Amino acid sequence: LVDSARALAAAKGLRERVKFQLVEPGPLPFPEASFDVVFSKDAMVHIEDKAALYAEVLRVLKPGGWFTAADWLWAEGAAKSPVVEAWLSMGPLKFKFTPPAVARQAMIDAGFADVRVTDLRHRLQQSNRAEIAVLQGPARQRLAAIVGETMADNRLASAKGRQGALDSGDLI
């Protein structure tokens, strides 16, 4: 993904203006006040210590910088939801979901100002349904040719399980 992002930035003439780097969870390998913007997409859900994560993000942001993220949160009690449990049992990834109010408070506690958490579940429901349709159509064969039959089947099963969790209201 990092290589794809770099190639896209280069194709758009932005190679000198943006940088993409994969980092491990924990202290970020950047000096304080390094960035105008920190962006995360579907990654924080795998990190257990959200308070430490948010503190690190704030540390590397310049004063007045922006932290923008899209990530999976879940409703109170979703950890015990049979629909969510069934979905999460389908794959090897480990998830550390957080309810929206807990995530918001952790960002405030870390020192962020003007914290906003927006529920985009309805958009996600629509895009996930579209993903299921793609994975059940001709694109499935192309995917299987790249990643193998088992992984293609797992991707479809996970998308269907995720749809169940989204439709149940357990995921936000």
Side-chain angles (χ1 to χ4, degrees):
L1 291 176
V2 171
D3 290 340
S4 295
R6 288 178 182 148
L8 181 59
K12 299 287 184 179
L14 299 172
R15 181 184 311 211
E16 302 305 318
R17 296 187 64 200
V18 295
K19 180 179 178 182
F20 301 93
Q21 181 176 338
L22 179 64
V23 298
E24 295 295 321
L28 295 170
F30 308 109
E32 289 185 22
S34 296
F35 301 101
D36 297 309
V37 176
V38 172
F39 172 77
S40 177
K41 173 73 170 86
D42 295 342
M44 298 181 306
V45 71
H46 303 289
I47 297 173
E48 187 165 2
D49 190 349
K50 301 291 195 286
L53 169 67
Y54 298 143
E56 273 299 289
V57 169
L58 188 62
R59 181 187 70 77
V60 300
L61 275 173
K62 293 178 182 176
W66 284 79
F67 174 41
T68 301
D71 212 30
W72 295 86
L73 301 174
W74 64 5
E76 291 290 339
K80 295 180 174 96
S81 163
V83 174
V84 171
E85 286 179 355
W87 170 51
L88 295 180
S89 71
M90 294 178 179
L93 294 176
K94 301 297 179 218
F95 294 89
K96 303 297 178 188
F97 289 100
T98 307
V102 173
R104 184 179 187 284
Q105 190 59 52
M107 285 184 267
I108 291 168
D109 292 348
F112 281 95
D114 193 23
V115 175
R116 299 178 205 168
V117 176
T118 305
D119 182 349
L120 300 174
R121 181 171 31 98
H122 297 295
R123 286 187 197 170
L124 207 48
Q125 285 172 305
Q126 292 171 342
S127 66
N128 197 75
R129 282 189 191 100
E131 179 179 345
I132 291 169
V134 167
L135 291 172
Q136 290 176 326
R140 191 233 174 263
Q141 295 306 322
R142 291 192 307 271
L143 178 63
I146 295 167
V147 300
E149 293 289 333
T150 300
M151 180 141 330
D153 289 343
N154 289 346
R155 179 68 188 204
L156 176 58
S158 180
K160 287 180 175 180
R162 185 172 51 246
Q163 191 67 47
L166 285 165
D167 292 344
S168 73
D170 289 327
L171 288 179
I172 311 176

